[in-house]
Structures are given as structure tokens and as C-alpha cells.
């Protein structure tokens, strides 16, 4: 337990620490950010009202739209000369969300990433190949400084250059690869094309994040590369990667580093908190951020929280790995479903590769969905049989069947080498 210190502290003293830090955060926001002063005044809450962690529920929420409206630095709580670094999240539409970091913020970030790496089983002296994109995206530099702080060797290769990536995995004997789940699969595939058996690589762990990853997808990564797959979670509005991480001991949910981030799960429709263990939208409040303190940020990510004791000894709450975002919800002819639900069903089948895409169209005012699923190289079964079994299973599980289910040949669907994978194409 000695290695965990803060991570294993008793919940009561953790609650006290959180309450103290919550009050400081609200004070900071109220004093220095006009947006928060207005929102708190409108909600009739004053920083002095915060006495316990439960008082967080009286505070107003912050949304993605608020980050955009306050572009570029309306949510900053410090003067420009205290900002040491800027990052931005890649908005697919509209302006990016800009975030800044003070010296202390950068220190906290390295600390939580170091903690995440330790939870993943990474040790000082290990070699970590960091294939997250460097630049404004928080993945690359976020992991980078945590790796160094741990005392591991970082290979700052970034995304892309996949053949080179494979060569370095082999030649520099990297123990750990950090990247998106879709990219991990692409690395495995590229190695095979190069005539290198991924299982022969010294790689033992892949730490993946920045994209939702269902259990069948994780299994595919673990099998293809012969590794342990560990989920890391974070978002730039809160700090970047390192908000939470799975422990390698249990691989059963991601421990949220609660001394720095206060989690809640709400019903996305009503905004009310849901019971422990129930699924809802994750809402996060930063507890130590200086440059951009964030109060009750609606992440859009769907998860559940469990406070049950973990076999690793950490007492910090665990969140389920995020497989869906509330804004990923597909509404097709009035039926709601998440791409992750479709993924889970499709990947149950033997002979199916972990590549698929969903195309939504509108014909004569009617929504149509085409689901394309790639077959594995070794597939030599009956296509029609697997196709009809898959349709039945989709209908049973999701009460919905795509208008067209295409089983395509290996390699037919586009791969993503840099950035996040796109699986849903809405042409409506
Ligand atoms: Zn654990």
C-alpha cells in the first residue's frame, strides 16, 4: 500500500480534502472569472456556502458551449504571464476549446499521468513509445511528461509513420505503447504486413484512450498484439489524459484521481444525480486547477461509478470505461442506439475483424442505415449464414436492424493513422 499513499487513503479524509479544495476552486472561479461569478450569482450560491462535497450539487453546470462562447480565454482565472502552456481540443465543428496551464497545473498533470502509468503497471526503467499526437492535442505532451516523471524512457514518436513505429517497437524493445485503440489495431496489422509477428515484439502493455473502446475491441487489441490493454481517460477541458486510469491488478474500471477531480454522474435529460452504479453522464469538477478551474463540466461521456473496494487497494472511485458519448446517440427512424452497442454485437462473431462503419442516409424522408463490417483474412465460412445471424442478433439486442448489412473483404475499410477514428458517417 505504501506506493499508493493518497490513492489508498480512507474515504472520509478524502472527502474532507475534496470539500476544502472545492471551496478554494469555487472561490477562485468566483473571484477571477466573470462567467462563473454571473452563473453563481444567478444560482444564488456564494463560495462561502460550500461546506461539504455534497454542496457541489447546488453549483451551476459548465458545458462545451460555454467553452466556445468564452473563446479563447474567457474562462481563464489567471493573468497571461502565469500561463506556461496552451492546449486546444479538436472541435469537429465550431471553434476549438482553448485551455491554459500554470506551472502548478503542469506539475499536477504530470503527477496524475505518472499515477496512471503506475496503475497500468509501468515501472521506472521501462520504455514507453508514445504514439499519441503531439501539438495542441493534449495526448502527446500530457503522456510525455508523466512518463519522464515516472523515470521511464519516452520515445516521442507521435501518431503516424506506422512502419517506423513497428521497427522502433522491435529495435528499441519498447515495453509499453500509448495510443488510441484503433491505432493499436492498425499497428498490429502493419506489423503482420511487414512479416513481423506482433507477439514476437517485447511489448507487454498498451495504454489506450481518446476514443471509446468496447470490451470486444479491447480483447481484439490484447489478442492481436499479445499485450495487456489498459484504459486511460481524460479530456482537455479538465486537464488532458490522466483524469482516471485502470489498474492492471483488477482491470475493472478506471480509478478517478479524486484528490484532483470530483466526479458525479447525472441523468443527461433531467440533470439530476443518478444512484451509484446507474449509468448517466459524467460531470467533473476540477479541485486543484489554477489557470482554468472548471465547475461541474458536462463531459457528454456515459459511464457509471462504483465506490466498492478494489482488489488493488486503491480507495478511489472507479468509473466504467466510456463506450459512448451522449452526443454519439444515433436516432434512426425513431430508434435510439449507440455505435458502441452495434460494435459489441458485431464483434461477438468469429471471423469478423474489428473494423466497421455506419453510414446514415435519408431516402424519401426516411432514415436509412448501412452497416459495413470487415471480415478477417482467415475467414472461410458461409458469408450468408454469418450475415443473417448478425442481423438476427442486432434485432434481438437493439430492436433494430440496418437497412443494409455489408460484409466486406479484409482491408476494404479505411484505417486511421493519425487522430481519432471515424466510424459514423451521417450524410443526412
Ligand atoms: Zn484498482
Amino acid at each position: 500500500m505504501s506506493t499508493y499513499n493518497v490513492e489508498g487513503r480512507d474515504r472520509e479524509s478524502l472527502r474532507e480534502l475534496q470539500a476544502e479544495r472545492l471551496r478554494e476552486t469555487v472561490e477562485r472561479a468566483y473571484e477571477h472569472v466573470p462567467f462563473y461569478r454571473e452563473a453563481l450569482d444567478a444560482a444564488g450560491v456564494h463560495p462561502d456556502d460550500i461546506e461539504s462535497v455534497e454542496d457541489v450539487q447546488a453549483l451551476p453546470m459548465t458545458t462545451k458551449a460555454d467553452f466556445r462562447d468564452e473563446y479563447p480565454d474567457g474562462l481563464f482565472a489567471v493573468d497571461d504571464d502565469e500561463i506556461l502552456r496552451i492546449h486546444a481540443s479538436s472541435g469537429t465543428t465550431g471553434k476549438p476549446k482553448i485551455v491554459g496551464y500554470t506551472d502548478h497545473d503542469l506539475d499536477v498533470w504530470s503527477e496524475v499521468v505518472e499515477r496512471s502509468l503506475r496503475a497500468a503497471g509501468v515501472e521506472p526503467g521501462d520504455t514507453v513509445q508514445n504514439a499519441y499526437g503531439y501539438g495542441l492535442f493534449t495526448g502527446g505532451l500530457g503522456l510525455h511528461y508523466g512518463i519522464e516523471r515516472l523515470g521511464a524512457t519516452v520515445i516521442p514518436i507521435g501518431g503516424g509513420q506506422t512502419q517506423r513505429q513497428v521497427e522502433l517497437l522491435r529495435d528499441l524493445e519498447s515495453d509499453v505503447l500509448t495510443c488510441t485503440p484503433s491505432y493499436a489495431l492498425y499497428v498490429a496489422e502493419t506489423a503482420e504486413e511487414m512479416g513481423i509477428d506482433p507477439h514476437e515484439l517485447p511489448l507487454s502493455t498498451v495504454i489506450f484512450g481518446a476514443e471509446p473502446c468496447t470490451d470486444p475491441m479491447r480483447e481484439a487489441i490484447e489478442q492481436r498484439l499479445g499485450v495487456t490493454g489498459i484504459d486511460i481517460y481524460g479530456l482537455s477541458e479538465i486537464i488532458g489524459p490522466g483524469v482516471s486510469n485502470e489498474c492492471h491488478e483488477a482491470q475493472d474500471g478506471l480509478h478517478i484521481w479524486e484528490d484532483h477531480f470530483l466526479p458525479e454522474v447525472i441523468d443527461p435529460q433531467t440533470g439530476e444525480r443518478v444512484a451509484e452504479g446507474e449509468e448517466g453522464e459524467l460531470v467533473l469538477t476540477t479541485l486543484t486547477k489554477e489557470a482554468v478551474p472548471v465547475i461541474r463540466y458536462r463531459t457528454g461521456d456515459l459511464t457509471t461509478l462504483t465506490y466498492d473496494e478494489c482488489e488493488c487497494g486503491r480507495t478511489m472511485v472507479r468509473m466504467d470505461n466510456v463506450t459512448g458519448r451522449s452526443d454519439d446517440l444515433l436516432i434512426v427512424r425513431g430508434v435510439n442506439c449507440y455505435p458502441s452497442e452495434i460494435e459489441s454485437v458485431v464483434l461477438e462473431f468469429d471471423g469478423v475483424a474489428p473494423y466497421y462503419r455506419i453510414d446514415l442516409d435519408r431516402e424519401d424522408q426516411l432514415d436509412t442505415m448501412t452497416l459495413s463490417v470487415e471480415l478477417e483474412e482467415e475467414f472461410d465460412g458461409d458469408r450468408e449464414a454469418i450475415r443473417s445471424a448478425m442481423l438476427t442478433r442486432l434485432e434481438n439486442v437493439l430492436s433494430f436492424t440496418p437497412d443494409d448489412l455489408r460484409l466486406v473483404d479484409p482491408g476494404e475499410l479505411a484505417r486511421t493513422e493519425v487522430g481519432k477514428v471515424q466510424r459514423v458517417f451521417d450524410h443526412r
Side-chain angles (χ1 to χ4, degrees):
M1 272 308 295
S2 61
T3 42
Y4 302 140
N5 297 320
V6 182
E7 295 160 61
R9 74 191 283 168
D10 70 277
R11 297 230 31 110
E12 200 180 324
S13 82
L14 180 62
R15 285 318 227 188
E16 280 166 26
L17 178 73
Q18 287 180 312
E20 191 184 306
R21 290 180 169 179
L22 176 63
R23 188 167 47 244
E24 286 166 6
T25 296
V26 176
E27 250 164 33
R28 172 178 285 275
Y30 191 80
E31 292 302 324
H32 301 287
V33 186
F35 165 83
Y36 280 121
R37 178 177 283 254
E38 275 171 38
L40 288 160
D41 282 343
V45 198
H46 191 269
D48 293 342
D49 299 337
I50 310 277
E51 285 169 0
S52 81
V53 179
E54 291 310 310
D55 294 330
V56 71
Q57 293 185 78
L59 302 174
M61 308 237 186
T62 309
T63 64
K64 288 181 174 61
D66 295 326
F67 267 89
R68 299 221 168 87
D69 293 346
E70 297 297 322
Y71 176 89
D73 59 358
L75 294 177
F76 284 27
V78 296
D79 292 335
D80 289 355
D81 58 3
E82 285 185 64
I83 300 286
L84 293 198
R85 204 193 300 160
I86 294 284
H87 278 287
S89 76
S90 50
T92 41
T93 52
K95 288 178 182 141
K97 287 163 275 195
I98 305 285
V99 289
Y101 300 78
T102 64
D103 192 20
H104 183 256
D105 292 336
L106 291 173
D107 196 47
V108 166
W109 194 10
S110 305
E111 181 195 325
V112 292
V113 172
E114 181 197 349
R115 228 189 260 182
S116 298
L117 294 164
R118 281 189 192 276
V122 186
E123 291 173 0
D126 283 349
T127 298
V128 184
Q129 191 155 317
N130 186 18
Y132 279 113
Y134 280 70
L136 282 173
F137 172 57
T138 48
L141 287 170
L143 261 301
H144 184 100
Y145 288 104
I147 296 164
E148 288 188 350
R149 182 173 166 134
L150 173 67
T153 305
V154 61
I155 302 174
I157 186 164
Q161 314 182 66
T162 311
Q163 293 205 359
R164 157 90 58 89
Q165 197 93 243
V166 172
E167 284 164 12
L168 290 181
L169 281 175
R170 181 191 60 197
D171 300 342
L172 297 177
E173 303 186 342
S174 304
D175 306 288
V176 182
L177 174 67
T178 53
C179 61
T180 60
S182 59
Y183 192 61
L185 283 171
Y186 189 62
V187 167
E189 196 174 61
T190 304
E192 283 160 9
E193 280 166 18
M194 292 164 70
I196 296 170
D197 177 358
H199 290 105
E200 304 282 304
L201 296 171
L203 199 61
S204 64
T205 305
V206 175
I207 301 175
F208 47 77
E211 278 172 11
C213 185
T214 58
D215 286 340
M217 184 65 84
R218 175 214 296 266
E219 279 162 32
I221 294 168
E222 292 189 325
Q223 279 169 15
R224 290 286 286 274
L225 282 165
V227 294
T228 303
I230 298 282
D231 211 352
I232 187 169
Y233 174 81
L235 61 173
S236 51
E237 298 91 306
I238 297 301
I239 202 161
V243 170
S244 66
N245 205 90
E246 252 175 348
C247 61
H248 69 100
E249 293 94 335
Q251 273 187 287
D252 185 19
L254 295 80
H255 289 282
I256 299 177
W257 309 127
E258 285 181 275
D259 47 336
H260 297 291
F261 315 105
L262 178 64
E264 301 170 83
V265 172
I266 61 160
D267 177 329
Q269 256 75 51
T270 64
E272 294 297 316
R273 202 183 272 192
V274 302
E276 181 184 339
E278 239 175 77
E279 189 181 72
E281 180 178 350
L282 180 66
V283 170
L284 290 166
T285 299
T286 64
L287 295 176
T288 50
K289 279 277 284 303
E290 291 181 341
V292 190
V294 182
I295 296 173
R296 302 193 85 195
Y297 185 65
R298 292 190 61 157
T299 63
D301 293 324
L302 299 173
T303 190
T304 58
L305 295 181
T306 171
Y307 290 87
D308 291 350
E309 212 168 286
C310 184
E311 63 183 77
C312 71
R314 291 178 181 83
T315 51
M316 292 198 178
V317 66
R318 279 173 289 161
M319 58 184 266
D320 241 11
N321 68 326
V322 172
T323 56
R325 302 179 55 86
S326 55
D327 41 6
D328 284 344
L329 182 68
L330 303 175
I331 304 176
V332 184
R333 291 194 298 270
V335 178
N336 297 354
C337 69
Y338 286 97
S340 58
E341 295 177 312
I342 295 173
E343 174 178 308
S344 291
V345 171
V346 164
L347 297 189
E348 283 173 8
F349 288 84
D350 287 338
V352 168
Y355 295 99
Y356 64 95
R357 67 176 272 166
I358 297 163
D359 286 271
L360 301 171
D361 277 293
R362 183 162 286 150
E363 285 168 22
D364 303 328
Q365 266 111 40
L366 263 187
D367 297 331
T368 61
M369 181 198 282
T370 303
L371 174 61
S372 309
V373 179
E374 208 175 283
L375 292 169
E376 279 183 335
E377 203 79 57
E378 309 82 56
F379 181 80
D380 60 357
D382 180 346
R383 281 194 186 216
E384 215 24 68
I386 195 171
R387 193 173 164 280
S388 99
M390 206 178 272
L391 284 170
T392 308
R393 185 89 181 115
L394 284 165
E395 176 63 38
N396 289 344
V397 177
L398 305 176
S399 312
F400 173 78
T401 43
D403 300 274
D404 192 9
L405 173 59
R406 300 171 55 231
L407 296 178
V408 305
D409 291 331
E412 196 171 306
L413 300 181
R415 308 294 196 249
T416 307
E417 267 206 79
V418 179
K420 301 182 188 186
V421 67
Q422 189 183 0
R423 294 209 172 89
V424 178
F425 297 82
D426 197 339
H427 315 286
R428 293 178 292 186

